[in-house]
Amino acid sequence: MTAPEAGRGIGNGESAAEITTTFVGLPRDSFRILHVSTGNVCRSPITERLTRHFVKERLGILGGGLIVESAGTWGHEGAPMEAHAETVLADFGADASGFTGRELLDEHVIRADLVLTATRDHRAQVISMGHSAGLRTFTLKEFTRLVKAIDPATLPPLEEGVVVRARALVRAAAALRGWLLAPNAEADEVYDPYGAPLTFFRSIGDEIHQSLDPVVTALTGVPART
């Protein structure tokens, strides 16, 4: 396996054997981000693939033990991504290929180091599954709000590896959760575009993009290109 292949993060459709491999010189463990929505054909696939795309844009490759995947609380097991979701990803230059939907299982929550959900109901469902998921499960917009309040200088430098930095970021966000509440009940929601026209899918894609940008910057220590 070549160095780029060894450092590649794992998403839906990639082999489990690749999970244990990382770049030479970086930690020999992993940090798994799990995006959760309802059917795992619209919001969470968009969020999964945009996360991977934006990390690659910042670092040149998705690796260092970072794994990004998704599932649905009522996941359409084996289903393809919605066509409008694929179009949204294409708008951002992200790769939609090889995706298949998954139903959220206990093993997904157990393995995840960070769970980012589309809505508060999804967050509650993940936490209700147990597995000490409470401190590492947030809605996407909630996590963004918390990350924006964290001083980047307090996080480990990227030279220590993405895994080390990501774990510190989750700990810092969890510590802030009780202090930075949402301004209203809708502020932490990403609404379901299933069955909606492409214009609404694109508006949801823009919301997800705006929420992911500060998170990926914090994870990588590299701001988005302007």
Side-chain angles (χ1 to χ4, degrees), residues 13 24 45 50 62 68:
V24 174
L50 285 184
L62 178 60
V68 186

Side-chain angles (χ1 to χ4, degrees), residues 58-59 158 165 216-223:
R58 311 294 172 87
L59 299 180
L158 188 59
R165 187 177 177 93
V216 175
T217 296
L219 278 172
T220 64
V222 181

Side-chain angles (χ1 to χ4, degrees), residues 1-9 23 61-63:
M1 182 177 292
T2 64
E5 291 172 334
R8 188 153 52 95
F23 278 133
I61 193 164
L62 178 60

Side-chain angles (χ1 to χ4, degrees), residues 1-222:
M1 182 177 292
T2 64
E5 291 172 334
R8 188 153 52 95
I10 312 300
N12 291 348
E14 297 185 41
S15 69
E18 294 175 274
I19 291 175
T20 59
T21 59
T22 61
F23 278 133
V24 174
L26 290 179
R28 293 187 59 82
D29 53 359
S30 63
F31 184 91
R32 188 181 298 265
I33 301 172
L34 176 66
H35 293 293
V36 175
S37 62
T38 303
N40 193 215
V41 292
C42 299
R43 288 168 292 181
S44 51
I46 291 173
T47 314
E48 173 200 323
R49 295 304 176 94
L50 285 184
T51 302
R52 298 174 70 183
H53 178 68
F54 295 143
V55 171
K56 287 180 182 179
E57 280 191 332
R58 311 294 172 87
L59 299 180
I61 193 164
L62 178 60
L66 185 64
I67 301 164
V68 186
E69 56 189 359
S70 62
T73 54
W74 290 86
H76 300 180
E77 189 74 30
M81 191 185 309
E82 282 289 296
H84 286 343
E86 291 188 354
T87 300
V88 168
L89 289 173
D91 290 343
F92 288 100
D95 182 15
S97 65
F99 182 88
T100 55
R102 302 191 308 176
E103 182 179 357
L104 181 67
L105 302 176
D106 288 272
E107 65 190 66
H108 301 145
V109 177
I110 291 168
R111 294 188 302 177
D113 298 287
L114 171 63
V115 183
L116 296 176
T117 70
T119 69
R120 292 170 298 154
D121 282 347
H122 295 133
R123 181 185 62 193
Q125 289 180 65
V126 171
I127 293 172
S128 73
M129 294 172 72
H131 315 302
S132 303
L135 290 178
R136 51 194 167 90
T137 302
F138 309 79
T139 73
L140 172 62
K141 289 186 175 181
E142 173 192 22
F143 193 66
T144 301
R145 183 175 67 253
L146 298 172
V147 163
K148 285 180 175 180
I150 296 169
D151 182 355
T154 64
L155 299 174
L158 188 59
E159 289 75 14
E160 294 186 24
V162 175
V163 169
V164 172
R165 187 177 177 93
R167 287 179 176 163
L169 184 65
V170 173
R171 288 195 299 269
L176 285 173
R177 192 188 329 235
W179 298 92
L180 293 175
L181 302 178
N184 54 65
E186 288 72 38
D188 286 341
E189 305 284 294
V190 176
Y191 291 107
D192 192 356
Y194 185 78
L198 179 57
T199 52
F200 188 66
F201 266 82
R202 283 183 162 139
S203 70
I204 293 299
D206 287 338
E207 280 187 38
I208 291 171
H209 171 217
Q210 292 168 16
S211 296
L212 282 176
D213 183 69
V215 173
V216 175
T217 296
L219 278 172
T220 64
V222 181

